[in-house]
Amino acid sequence: MRVGVPREIKKNEHRVGLTPTAVREYVAHGHSVSIETGAGLGAGFTDADFKKAGAKIVADARTVFADNDMIVKVKEPQKVEWEMLREGQILFTYLHLAPDPEQTKGLLASKCAAVAYETVTNAQGGLPLLAPMSEVAGRIAVFSAAETLLKHNGGMGLLFCGVPGVAPARVLVLGGGVVGLNAARMAMGLGAEVVVLERSIPRMAYIDEVTQGRVITRYSSIGAIEEEMVKADVIIGAVLVPGAEAPKLIKREHLKQMKPGSVLVDVAIDQGGCFETSHATTHEDPTYVIDGVVHYCVANMPGAAPRTSSEALNNATLPFGLALADKGLEALKQNPHLARGLNVLKGEITYPAVAEALDMPWSDPFGVWAKG
């Protein structure tokens, strides 16, 4: 398989689809790897590092897309990128299609096979390719919130960890999954008072166990959200419906009931956000204020730590990427967990939650394959 890695072009995105370590593994499996020049610089990897690992360095993204059978990225393709995809080409990256009809239509028009990291599953029912970035995002969300709480950043002027005699921040985490647990543990470690709202009773028991009871858990309901949000200095949105648009848990009318200068951090923004007033922001301009509440809705939070994020992501994606490179789309037929990652094939949506979110038709992938 000819595998290509373009430089990420989404604003403030410095991660890279393959690290030199991963490239060496692909080469050892007999594949050729082309890297766009400078693709790894933001994450601390030079062209020389990739060459040493066995990659070929090419001048531009157009060459990467034109000369390779499989494209490995980090973020969803931008318009100029999806226009370079072609029929039969495999795209392996984060897609987050549910809130993005324009990208979906672009991928459908290309007739590529688009495999999304965020919907690949494992035998435990988890999302193994989303988990490493969820860990990073959950941790970044906390110290981003702590910084945003400071007065010069628009917050209420509260020191997140407090000092002797003065209470620390109260942090409400919506969702106790990978993002939520990492956010809760980070906030707890920094000295905040932490409440997690979650609907899975076994998950709440697990959070209680791993935090030794230092994190308060409550069953998530409309009433619990309304009770806790008025007491919170920070709310971290960490809810996920795999492949689908995130539910809106904090409504516009709720903002006036919250503390002035409190902070909302929406980690679910890639899936449309879990606050009604959320819209995507960037690391350069991360916040905005509505009704006195500061919103932090950066769409690629892990991009702030590109070295850590690239290495963690590749640790997770490597076996799946190698399977695709070794066997092509046959790998999806042989591995039902990898097959769950297939969102688009031959101009048709093959992931039900995406089709439902966009009110578009869904096709069973095996039926699409059968059409030849």
Side-chain angles (χ1 to χ4, degrees), residues 264 266 269 275 278-282 286-288 295-299 301:
L264 295 179
D266 199 340
I269 192 64
F275 308 137
S278 292
H279 64 75
T281 60
T282 67
T287 63
Y288 58 93
H295 293 58
Y296 184 102
C297 303
V298 174
M301 291 183 197

Side-chain angles (χ1 to χ4, degrees), residues 242-298:
E245 191 166 4
K248 302 296 186 281
L249 300 182
I250 300 292
K251 309 295 186 183
R252 174 68 185 259
E253 60 265 26
H254 289 150
L255 301 186
K256 293 180 180 179
Q257 303 171 40
M258 295 174 60
K259 298 178 182 179
S262 58
V263 174
L264 295 179
V265 180
D266 199 340
V267 186
I269 192 64
D270 279 331
Q271 293 293 132
C274 61
F275 308 137
E276 192 173 63
T277 47
S278 292
H279 64 75
T281 60
T282 67
H283 290 292
E284 287 181 349
D285 188 16
T287 63
Y288 58 93
V289 179
I290 297 179
D291 292 339
V293 176
V294 187
H295 293 58
Y296 184 102
C297 303
V298 174

Side-chain angles (χ1 to χ4, degrees), residues 105-120:
K105 291 173 184 176
L107 293 179
L108 292 172
S110 77
K111 296 191 175 180
C112 74
V115 182
Y117 295 158
E118 71 271 13
T119 60
V120 173

Side-chain angles (χ1 to χ4, degrees), residues 56-271:
K56 175 185 176 183
I57 306 301
V58 300
D60 52 44
R62 187 161 297 278
T63 304
V64 172
F65 281 85
D67 291 353
N68 292 285
D69 309 304
M70 175 173 158
I71 304 297
V72 181
K73 283 175 44 61
V74 178
K75 290 302 289 180
E76 69 279 359
Q78 305 302 290
K79 186 174 187 293
V80 67
E81 294 177 310
W82 74 58
E83 289 176 345
M84 291 189 284
L85 290 164
R86 64 179 185 274
E87 186 170 0
Q89 198 169 40
I90 298 172
L91 173 65
F92 192 40
T93 189
Y94 287 116
L95 292 176
H96 301 293
L97 294 179
D100 193 348
E102 186 180 4
Q103 184 202 169
T104 304
K105 291 173 184 176
L107 293 179
L108 292 172
S110 77
K111 296 191 175 180
C112 74
V115 182
Y117 295 158
E118 71 271 13
T119 60
V120 173
T121 60
N122 60 20
Q124 293 73 43
L127 302 170
L129 307 192
L130 190 60
M133 295 305 93
S134 296
E135 291 169 348
V136 174
R139 298 176 189 210
I140 285 179
V142 171
F143 54 76
S144 296
E147 185 72 15
T148 305
L149 269 179
L150 300 178
K151 195 68 177 179
H152 66 276
N153 289 323
M156 64 176 68
L158 182 69
L159 184 63
F160 192 85
C161 56
V163 294
V166 181
R170 184 178 175 95
V171 178
L172 173 61
V173 181
L174 302 178
V178 178
V179 171
L181 176 58
N182 277 269
R185 292 177 71 175
M186 179 66 70
M188 178 188 75
L190 291 176
E193 183 181 10
V194 184
V195 179
V196 175
L197 297 189
E198 169 59 50
R199 289 197 164 184
S200 167
I201 293 174
R203 187 65 177 179
M204 285 189 281
Y206 177 73
I207 293 170
D208 185 70
E209 179 182 353
V210 298
T211 63
Q212 297 182 321
R214 293 171 60 195
V215 167
I216 300 167
T217 56
R218 288 192 64 182
Y219 186 83
S220 184
S221 65
I222 295 171
I225 292 171
E226 290 178 346
E227 288 174 20
E228 292 294 341
M229 71 180 188
V230 297
K231 297 185 282 186
D233 303 302
V234 171
I235 301 178
I236 296 175
V239 295
L240 173 69
V241 179
E245 191 166 4
K248 302 296 186 281
L249 300 182
I250 300 292
K251 309 295 186 183
R252 174 68 185 259
E253 60 265 26
H254 289 150
L255 301 186
K256 293 180 180 179
Q257 303 171 40
M258 295 174 60
K259 298 178 182 179
S262 58
V263 174
L264 295 179
V265 180
D266 199 340
V267 186
I269 192 64
D270 279 331
Q271 293 293 132

